[in-house]
Structures are given as C-alpha cells and as structure tokens.
Amino acid sequence: MPLLNKVRTAAPGGQGSDTAAPTLFRLRSALTVFFALDGFLFAGWVVRIPAIKQQTGASAGELGLALLGVSAGAVVTMVFTGRLCHRFGSHPVTVACGGLMALAIALPPATHSALTLGLVLLVFGAAYGGVNVAMNSAAVDLVAALRRPVMPSFHAAFSLGGMVGAGIGALVAGALSPAAHLLALTGVGLVVTALAGRVLLRYPAPAPARTAHAPGQRLTGRARRLVLLFGLIALCTAYGEGAMADWGALHLEQDLAAAPGVAAVGYSLFALAMTAGRLSGTALLERLGQTRTLVAGGLTACAGMLLGALAPNVWLALAGFAVMGLGLANIFPVAVQRAGALAGPGGVAAASTLGYGGMLLGPPAIGLIAEWASLPVALTTVAALAAGAALIGYTARHATAPQN
C-alpha cells in the first residue's frame, strides 16, 4: 500500500498545500464526532423503549410493529441517500441528517398509541439511515485522501458512543422521565451537530477516488457485482450483531443456567471486544491488508460463535462471545469502505442497506430455527455466515479500489 502514511495532495488546500494535513485532521475529528453521536443517540433511545412501551400501552406485538418504523425508515432512506450525496455532497447531508436525528429522538415520548409511535419512528429511522450512509460516504473519501485504513476508527467511535449512551441512559432512567431524557439528548445532539457540522460545512470533502461508474449513474456490470459481494459481507456481519443483541443473553440463561446478571454480561463482553477490535483496526489493516483482515476476522468470528453456541458451560460461552466480537469488529467497516471505493456513495448506500437488512433478518431467523431445532443450533448459523463472509472476502480479493 504505497504512501501509506502520507497525505494525498488532492486534499482540500490544494496540491502541495501545507494546510492539507491540518484540514484532513479536522475533518477526521468532526466525522469521528458524528459517528460517536450516532451511536450515542441511538443507544439513548433504545434504553427508553420499555418506558415508551408502558406509556403507549402497546402490547408486545404492537410494539414490535411500531419498532419496524425505525427499520423501514432507515432502509427507504438508505436507498436514495447516495444520490443526495452525489448532488449536494456528503458533508451537508451528514449535517442535515444528524440534526434531524437529534430532533426526531424527542418525538416518541409525545406519542400515546402504537400507531403514532410507529409513525414518528419512521422519521427517526429515516434520519438514522441517512446519517449512516452520508457519514460513511464522507469517511470513504477521507480514508482515500489520508492513504491510511482508518475506517475502523470511525466505527469504534460509534461503538463507544453507544456504550456511553446506554450507560447514561441506565443511570438516569430512574430519575428522569423519557420525555426529559430524550429532550436532553435532542439538546446535546443539536449542539454537537452545530459544532462538528461547522467543520464539515467549512471544508469540502477531499476529491473522491475514481470509481467504477460516473456519479449519478446506476451501478452496472462488474461494479454492481462487486458492490453486491461487499454488501453480502456486511449482511453476514450484521446478522451476527443482531443475533447477539437479541439472543445471546437468553442462550446463557436458558441453555447454560446462567444467573440474569451473568447472562447480561455476554453482550457487554461482545460489545467491548468489538470496540477494542475496531480501535486496533487501523494497525491491523496496515499490517495484514484488507483481504487478510476480512478472512481472518470471519474465521475468528466463526470459531468464537461455535464456542459460544456449543460450549458446555457459561465461562467458555462468554469467552466465545468475546472472540466473536473481535472477529466481527472490522468486517463491516472494511466492506462498506470497499463498496464506497468502488462505486462512491451509491456503493456505500447499497452495502449499508444490505448490512442493515442482515441485522433485521438475524433475530427472527434465529427465533424460527430455535423453535424448529434449538437455540444453540440456531446460533451456529451466525458462525456459518461469518465463515461465508470470510469466503466472499477471499473471492473478492482482486476487487481493489482504483486509488490502490
């Protein structure tokens, strides 16, 4: 990987400009803040779902349908956010969607039925999907300009933001009403968006890397097939994340007789391991390269999930969950980066949509298989898809980004 630690001269500031490096540093810092804010706000909403359920009087089934509003809004928005980024630029779209997400998070406490909750969650989901595609598109261009594989660091910020948001939410849940809590998050979100957004709006995005198709065109031919491959890798990874979030604790408690407190540790270990893996992702990518990182990560996640699903005791299962988190950590960021390098914001949108689809598919698929066989058997599908991600990553080893 030539010029690995050098700044691309096509960056803002002009060719050979001494201001290029500081500009890229400011852009990287601002984008990191947006990734952290995204995780922070989403986790803050998630921890208040039980209280919102009680407020609306929704049954479990009605709540499930209402929560589909987040998914539906996100998927629909992801489909066309790439086009918005082509037309207006990824930086303005990131700022606009970040502000909308901060505003939308205050809406759920104002609802008093499952129907109205679902409608406002469509807005929240649309903002969430839009900011994810836009900031990942901006990150792809910045990674190309920096000539360093720093994409995992952005996703580490998302993970850290989520952990902080969930932790604060747990602390204030007994003292603040959902309305007060989420309104406070709106204030924090708007202030952070204004501060970090000034940087993104002040400095244009680095000159995008050459891609397999012209901006605004539909993906066709080889580019479409390659983006699909990287989208499938993202799907395999997100399937595992969704399964762990919804079924990991139940497996420990139901199948291995873990105490509720110990069972809750399972997902925490998984999330901590994933965060640690992403924090070290840049160094790993510089040492191993993208293909070997994808393959090694997929195989590691496969081994970890097999241990977590089939271990005879709780402690081995917990160790398996941690290993799985390390393995999955950098697969999604690399897959999205590769798709974006090949096809620009449209590639990021396609890969993100497929990845999000995997997160939606995982929990219900695990439930259906568990009903037919058993939960440990169902969880082995996560291992199978992780191995599949490794195989697809190896198959796409020659699909290098044009600037490389």
Side-chain angles (χ1 to χ4, degrees):
M1 190 177 295
L3 302 178
L4 190 63
N5 296 307
K6 296 184 180 179
V7 176
R8 197 173 161 189
T9 56
Q15 185 170 358
S17 171
D18 292 336
T19 64
T23 296
L24 294 179
F25 175 78
R26 293 187 189 100
L27 288 176
R28 182 180 178 183
S29 299
L31 275 177
T32 299
V33 169
F34 269 102
F35 273 85
L37 178 65
D38 186 35
F40 177 79
L41 292 178
F42 191 79
W45 147 248
V46 167
V47 298
R48 300 315 298 248
I49 289 177
I52 298 296
K53 176 181 181 297
Q54 183 177 7
Q55 170 189 299
T56 59
S59 66
E62 290 172 336
L63 178 65
L65 290 175
L67 292 177
L68 282 177
V70 178
S71 306
V75 169
V76 170
T77 306
M78 283 177 172
V79 171
F80 62 82
T81 301
R83 297 179 185 178
L84 292 178
C85 290
H86 276 309
R87 182 171 182 178
F88 300 107
S90 57
H91 288 184
V93 177
T94 297
V95 176
C97 291
L100 179 59
M101 185 176 177
L103 291 171
I105 200 173
L107 297 178
T111 63
H112 298 284
S113 70
L115 176 60
T116 54
L117 176 61
L119 292 175
V120 301
L121 289 182
L122 278 171
V123 180
F124 180 73
Y128 177 73
V131 75
N132 271 272
V133 171
M135 68 186 183
N136 272 290
S137 298
V140 167
D141 289 339
L142 187 57
V143 167
L146 289 169
R147 297 288 182 94
R148 293 194 65 210
V150 298
M151 195 70 166
S153 68
F154 295 119
H155 289 259
F158 174 86
S159 298
L160 287 170
M163 293 171 63
V164 172
I168 292 177
L171 288 175
V172 305
L176 293 179
S177 67
H181 177 203
L182 297 184
L183 187 61
L185 293 186
T186 292
V188 171
L190 290 176
V191 170
V192 172
T193 297
L195 293 176
R198 288 180 61 189
V199 177
L200 293 189
L201 296 177
R202 179 180 178 184
Y203 299 107
R210 290 170 295 150
T211 59
H213 76 300
Q217 289 183 347
R218 293 174 62 87
L219 299 180
T220 58
R222 181 173 180 269
R224 179 186 292 275
R225 292 191 296 271
L226 292 174
V227 168
L228 177 61
L229 285 179
F230 292 119
L232 288 175
I233 292 173
L235 183 151
C236 292
T237 305
Y239 178 97
E241 291 188 52
M244 275 300 304
D246 285 20
W247 294 102
L250 182 62
H251 167 59
L252 293 174
E253 189 171 348
Q254 171 184 290
D255 301 315
L256 299 176
V262 175
V265 170
Y267 184 74
S268 298
L269 279 177
F270 170 79
L272 283 171
M274 178 170 280
T275 302
R278 287 175 170 173
L279 288 172
S280 59
T282 296
L284 188 68
L285 284 164
E286 288 177 337
R287 184 175 183 85
L288 298 181
Q290 292 178 334
T291 296
R292 282 186 286 182
T293 298
L294 286 175
V295 173
L299 294 179
T300 300
C302 175
M305 192 67 253
L306 286 175
L307 179 61
L310 304 178
N313 62 64
V314 172
W315 305 112
L316 282 176
L318 290 174
F321 289 168
V323 171
M324 181 192 170
L326 286 173
L328 291 183
N330 297 303
I331 300 178
F332 189 94
V334 172
V336 170
Q337 178 189 339
R338 296 286 294 274
L342 286 163
V348 174
S352 299
T353 302
L354 282 170
Y356 201 81
M359 189 170 290
L360 298 178
L361 174 66
I366 295 292
L368 290 173
I369 298 171
E371 187 172 343
W372 171 70
S374 68
L375 184 52
V377 170
L379 290 174
T380 61
T381 61
V382 175
L385 287 182
L391 178 60
I392 297 171
Y394 181 76
T395 301
R397 63 191 180 279
H398 297 305
T400 56
Q403 72 273 18
N404 289 337

